[in-house]
Amino acid sequence: MFCRSCGKKISPKSIFCEYCGEKQKKINTNKINKTSKHIWACDFCGKEFKTKLESDKHEKTCLENPINSKKKNTSKFKKIANSSRIIWFLSMVVFGIVASVLSVSVDKNFENLLSKIGLISIFIVGILAFLSMCLSFALHYSFTSSKGKNFLSRVIKLILNIIFLPLVIMRNLGDSLFGFFILLPMWLLGMFSFLYFFGFVPTSRSVSGNSMDPTIQNEENVKMYGFSLINKIINTPQKGDIVIFSSGRTADNQGQINDYIKRVIATEGDQIEIRDGYLYLNDQISNEPYTASARSTFGGLFLKECKKNTVPSGYVFVMGDNRKRSKDSREIGFVSINEINSILPVNKQSKFNDRQRDASRDQDGHGLPSFNLDDYYLKINKIRTDNGLKTLKRNEKLEKAALARAKSIVDNKEVEKFGENDKGKYPFEKAIRDSGYSNILTGEISTTGYYDAEELSNYWLDYETKKNLLDKQYQDTGIAAYVGKIDDCEVQVIVQEFGGYVPPNYSKSTIDSWRDVVNHLNSIIPSWENAKGWSSMNQEDLSKLLELLYREKTIASNILTKMESGKWLTNQESQSIDEYNSLANQSSALANKLNNQ
């Protein structure tokens, strides 16, 4: 017979179980059919059977058997475990949808429609789906694949399966194709989405452009962390963080929206201002060792020079580290936190520390020109030499003219007219003449901003000013920078003047025509001179005619001499051509009058 408490087999005559000590209940034999020759009864419930085989078989499944009672306790878990694959799949789908919704950056319209409470609700649904996914999967392997008979061991196994779920999946890959092709890929995808969603998994992003030099160089790959909507609510960007964002304001000329990578300079409540090449943060010059060069920040369409602005709630102000090569908040305005899709926190930028410069003396140049003249002349002449051109000679008179022009631009508030072909109240031609410099060709380039010698020379090469810098006809140059104030705002104006001589290239027909003029005058003047004293000719008109012819000859001879010697005509000589034409008309009319007398 079997013990009614522990289920172990004991002697039919035992009063107490030799294993657990439980007193054994006597079977009521009065219920047994006395007419049967052999009676077999269940030791647990007393049910009778005709054969011992039937009795033993019943005892194994009898509900009064303690072992079967424990199995009854786990049956509800088995039912759940048997359907765990469906639960796991549905939970995974829900989690994937939630993760996708929360991982995508949203624009302002979506932000207004979906409140923070709604976002948190969706997030909670995702967490519950993730927990259901883990629990159902662990139940499956704890109550369907286990062969143990102890309920406590199954519960312990369930807990361990939840903790080490990836290892459980790997261990049971061979159980079914379902586990290999569906469960494992979806688990890995879910875990990656979960970790990326919270910003634990970095992804490599390729950077195009030089706006973040020297921190991040062109075509460099940078590991960035995902920045989901939950991050945007509980973990806003901090000053110094590098972020990637996109919006309609980052679209190119074809309407393609691009990702911009910039550094967070100011956050909610910060006051920003750009003045004299420096960034002022809350009325203090900001220490920026990560920038490409000192005193390199200038205003733009959104944040103009010397105009203070405060960052509103939910926004940040961003700029590139290479201030002169970056389109950022100075042009496009504040960036909404919801427009940010990736972030590299400042505490994870240690790999870039060796690219920073010493910024301890950045403020030494406050109010002074930003570049050294000697260095600049060396730079531009190297550029000309590299392009197969002769070097430019530094000319003090042209430097004087450049300084006068720069000061005039500031004093007359003509900075905004740059690029409008407006020569201003003091044209550069006059400034050059007033300096005492004279040459055949003259030219000028100008700009505003704070540059060192190398930056300025490279800046000229990026725009139409390159033509002047690389013009082979110029031999002389002079540059000057003037720092002044316009409406109490410091501004630096840079002006460079050019001068050069080009040998004239008169055509043969032009020279021949002037030679013919001189020869003609030489041939007719003696004839008119012989007419002096003729009574038949008005001597007063004759004297006037000869006077005109003598002047014509002088002008023509001077012009012919200059042209034959390959020299440029002076302004006075050029103007004398008009005088010659007028004299020729007068002499011709007067000659006709005298010939008709």
Side-chain angles (χ1 to χ4, degrees):
M1 74 181 218
F2 295 88
C3 174
R4 296 177 61 83
S5 176
C6 65
K8 293 185 178 180
K9 191 172 185 179
I10 57 176
S11 171
K13 297 180 179 181
S14 298
I15 299 177
F16 295 93
C17 176
E18 59 186 275
Y19 297 102
C20 65
E22 184 73 18
K23 187 176 180 179
Q24 303 301 304
K25 182 179 178 181
K26 275 185 111 177
I27 299 175
N28 186 2
T29 57
N30 293 328
K31 296 181 179 180
I32 300 176
N33 188 350
K34 302 294 184 179
T35 61
S36 301
K37 186 174 182 179
H38 297 287
I39 300 300
W40 303 96
C42 174
D43 292 336
F44 301 103
C45 65
K47 185 176 181 179
E48 59 185 42
F49 296 93
K50 292 182 179 181
T51 64
K52 183 177 183 303
L53 180 62
E54 292 177 349
S55 176
D56 291 343
K57 184 177 180 180
H58 170 75
E59 286 176 348
K60 291 181 180 180
T61 59
C62 181
L63 296 179
E64 298 296 328
N65 189 333
I67 295 178
N68 292 333
S69 178
K70 293 179 182 178
K71 289 184 178 180
K72 181 179 180 182
N73 292 335
T74 64
S75 61
K76 57 182 178 181
F77 292 100
K78 276 193 172 184
K79 292 180 181 179
I80 298 175
N82 288 332
S83 60
S84 62
R85 290 180 175 181
I86 298 176
I87 298 174
W88 197 94
F89 180 78
L90 294 177
S91 300
M92 190 61 205
V93 171
V94 172
F95 177 77
I97 294 174
V98 171
S100 299
V101 171
L102 296 179
S103 297
V104 174
S105 297
V106 297
D107 55 24
K108 293 181 181 179
N109 295 329
F110 186 77
E111 179 189 15
N112 294 333
L113 180 65
L114 196 61
S115 65
K116 291 184 178 180
I117 295 177
L119 293 177
I120 293 175
S121 299
I122 293 176
F123 175 70
I124 292 174
V125 171
I127 292 297
L128 293 177
F130 185 77
L131 294 177
S132 298
M133 176 184 66
C134 295
L135 182 60
S136 62
F137 195 87
L139 277 170
H140 175 77
Y141 283 110
S142 299
F143 290 92
T144 62
S145 61
S146 176
K147 297 181 180 180
K149 298 180 180 181
N150 190 302
F151 177 74
L152 180 61
S153 66
R154 296 188 182 213
V155 173
I156 295 175
K157 184 176 181 181
L158 170 64
I159 296 174
L160 293 176
N161 282 343
I162 293 176
I163 297 175
F164 301 104
L165 194 55
L167 298 178
V168 173
I169 297 176
M170 294 298 295
R171 185 193 68 184
N172 294 279
L173 280 180
D175 289 358
S176 67
L177 294 176
F178 178 81
F180 184 82
F181 290 105
I182 297 179
L183 295 185
L184 181 60
M186 292 187 69
W187 164 259
L188 295 176
L189 177 63
M191 285 302 298
F192 179 82
S193 300
F194 182 82
L195 295 175
Y196 178 80
F197 173 74
F198 280 102
F200 291 110
V201 178
T203 56
S204 182
R205 301 290 297 269
S206 178
V207 176
S208 177
N210 300 308
S211 70
M212 284 298 291
D213 276 349
T215 305
I216 303 174
Q217 299 170 358
N218 184 32
E219 304 299 333
E220 183 176 358
N221 290 323
V222 182
K223 289 185 177 180
M224 303 291 293
Y225 294 85
F227 195 66
S228 67
L229 286 181
I230 295 300
N231 294 108
K232 297 168 186 177
I233 295 173
I234 65 177
N235 186 25
T236 58
Q238 303 298 313
K239 295 185 201 53
D241 292 349
I242 296 175
V243 296
I244 295 178
F245 63 95
S246 61
S247 68
R249 294 170 296 168
T250 64
D252 56 24
N253 295 332
Q254 287 72 39
Q256 178 68 37
I257 295 179
N258 300 312
D259 283 337
Y260 278 18
I261 180 168
K262 308 294 176 186
R263 185 182 298 275
V264 175
I265 302 300
T267 57
E268 176 181 339
D270 287 331
Q271 186 183 75
I272 51 178
E273 180 187 11
I274 295 174
R275 178 185 290 269
D276 196 26
Y278 298 99
L279 170 69
Y280 284 77
L281 188 61
N282 300 320
D283 295 324
Q284 299 292 326
I285 295 180
S286 181
N287 183 39
E288 300 184 293
Y290 42 76
T291 55
S293 60
R295 202 182 176 194
S296 59
T297 306
F298 52 87
L301 293 176
F302 175 78
L303 184 63
K304 298 184 181 297
E305 299 273 348
C306 305
K307 301 294 183 182
K308 294 182 179 180
N309 211 332
T310 302
V311 181
S313 175
Y315 290 83
V316 293
F317 186 88
V318 300
M319 285 196 288
D321 290 352
N322 190 1
R323 299 288 161 79
K324 296 184 177 70
R325 302 280 180 166
S326 175
K327 181 180 179 182
D328 44 46
S329 287
R330 294 171 294 173
E331 296 289 332
I332 66 175
F334 297 118
V335 174
S336 171
I337 292 177
N338 288 326
E339 295 172 351
I340 300 173
N341 55 65
S342 298
I343 188 170
L344 181 62
V346 66
N347 59 2
K348 295 182 180 180
Q349 300 175 20
S350 57
K351 64 171 291 187
F352 302 126
N353 289 345
D354 59 346
R355 302 182 186 184
Q356 296 184 359
R357 57 183 181 78
D358 182 7
S360 59
R361 302 190 63 182
D362 279 5
Q363 300 182 35
D364 291 355
H366 200 303
L368 300 174
S370 61
F371 64 95
N372 181 278
L373 291 180
D374 293 333
D375 291 342
Y376 175 74
Y377 286 120
L378 290 175
K379 294 290 183 183
I380 61 171
N381 279 327
K382 184 179 185 306
I383 293 174
R384 286 179 65 90
T385 302
D386 292 342
N387 284 271
L389 302 173
K390 293 182 179 180
T391 59
L392 295 172
K393 295 180 181 179
R394 181 175 179 176
N395 188 284
E396 293 183 1
K397 292 181 179 180
L398 289 178
E399 286 182 352
K400 180 181 177 182
L403 182 60
R405 269 283 289 163
K407 188 175 184 303
S408 173
I409 290 171
V410 174
D411 293 344
N412 294 303
K413 301 180 180 180
E414 297 172 342
V415 172
E416 299 296 333
K417 296 181 180 180
F418 276 1
E420 298 180 2
N421 296 321
D422 190 331
K423 294 184 178 180
K425 294 183 178 180
Y426 189 49
F428 80 90
E429 296 94 343
K430 188 175 187 311
I432 290 176
R433 288 197 302 270
D434 291 346
S435 71
Y437 181 84
S438 177
N439 213 329
I440 301 303
L441 299 177
T442 56
E444 177 186 88
I445 54 178
S446 57
T447 188
T448 59
Y450 297 87
Y451 304 85
D452 59 28
E454 184 172 4
E455 289 174 338
L456 181 59
S457 57
N458 290 332
Y459 172 82
W460 298 133
L461 296 176
D462 286 341
Y463 299 95
E464 292 184 0
T465 49
K466 177 181 180 179
K467 297 178 181 178
N468 293 66
L469 201 65
L470 300 181
D471 194 330
K472 65 180 181 180
Q473 298 182 92
Y474 290 135
Q475 294 92 38
D476 303 323
T477 190
I479 189 170
Y482 178 75
V483 179
K485 286 189 176 183
I486 298 178
D487 297 330
D488 198 37
C489 180
E490 293 88 352
V491 61
Q492 176 174 256
V493 174
I494 303 171
V495 176
Q496 184 170 357
E497 309 288 5
F498 297 89
Y501 176 82
V502 178
N505 185 22
Y506 302 117
S507 66
K508 183 177 182 299
S509 59
T510 300
I511 298 176
D512 288 344
S513 65
W514 283 105
R515 185 179 293 110
D516 292 341
V517 168
V518 173
N519 292 334
H520 175 69
L521 290 171
N522 287 332
S523 64
I524 64 172
I525 288 177
S527 300
W528 289 108
E529 287 177 339
N530 291 333
K532 290 180 179 181
W534 290 3
S535 59
S536 60
M537 187 172 291
N538 188 321
Q539 294 297 310
E540 183 177 351
D541 289 341
L542 179 60
S543 297
K544 188 175 182 180
L545 174 60
L546 289 172
E547 183 180 346
L548 292 173
L549 294 175
Y550 291 151
R551 178 58 183 162
E552 288 179 38
K553 180 181 178 180
T554 300
I555 294 174
S557 298
N558 289 337
I559 293 175
L560 179 60
T561 300
K562 279 290 188 74
M563 288 185 174
E564 289 181 332
S565 61
K567 296 180 180 179
W568 285 101
L569 300 178
T570 64
N571 290 334
Q572 183 178 0
E573 290 169 339
S574 296
Q575 293 173 1
S576 68
I577 294 177
D578 295 332
E579 180 186 358
Y580 167 82
N581 292 329
S582 176
L583 294 174
N585 291 332
Q586 295 178 47
S587 63
S588 178
L590 191 55
N592 290 334
K593 178 182 177 181
L594 291 173
N595 285 329
N596 292 329
Q597 288 182 358

